[in-house]
Amino acid sequence: MIERLTVALKGACMGFADAIPGVSGGTMALILGVYQRFIAALSILGAGLVVQLFSKNFWAELLAALKPG
């Protein structure tokens, strides 16, 4: 639980950094030590994801996964 909160806060710092001119989220990821994890997460995304985003089944499964219980 603490690890997830820490990662979420680091992600928020990356997002806040994008709002500051001259500072990028990538720079913050490097400073916070999550750059490798960030790049690995991005590398999972591919052309197949774009196709899935337009399928009805993807959204139905996503909504079912987000429902509590």
Side-chain angles (χ1 to χ4, degrees), residues 10-11 13-18 20-36 38-39:
K10 288 180 181 181
C13 288
M14 289 172 57
F16 293 141
D18 286 331
I20 301 170
V23 181
S24 74
T27 303
M28 285 304 295
L30 188 63
I31 291 169
L32 296 171
V34 294
Y35 188 77
Q36 292 296 329
F38 177 62
I39 296 300

Side-chain angles (χ1 to χ4, degrees), residues 37-64:
R37 184 175 180 170
F38 177 62
I39 296 300
L42 289 178
S43 69
I44 294 171
L45 305 176
L49 177 66
V50 175
V51 173
Q52 285 182 350
L53 288 176
F54 291 105
S55 76
K56 223 180 205 185
N57 189 33
F58 173 80
W59 293 104
E61 288 180 16
L62 178 66
L63 290 176

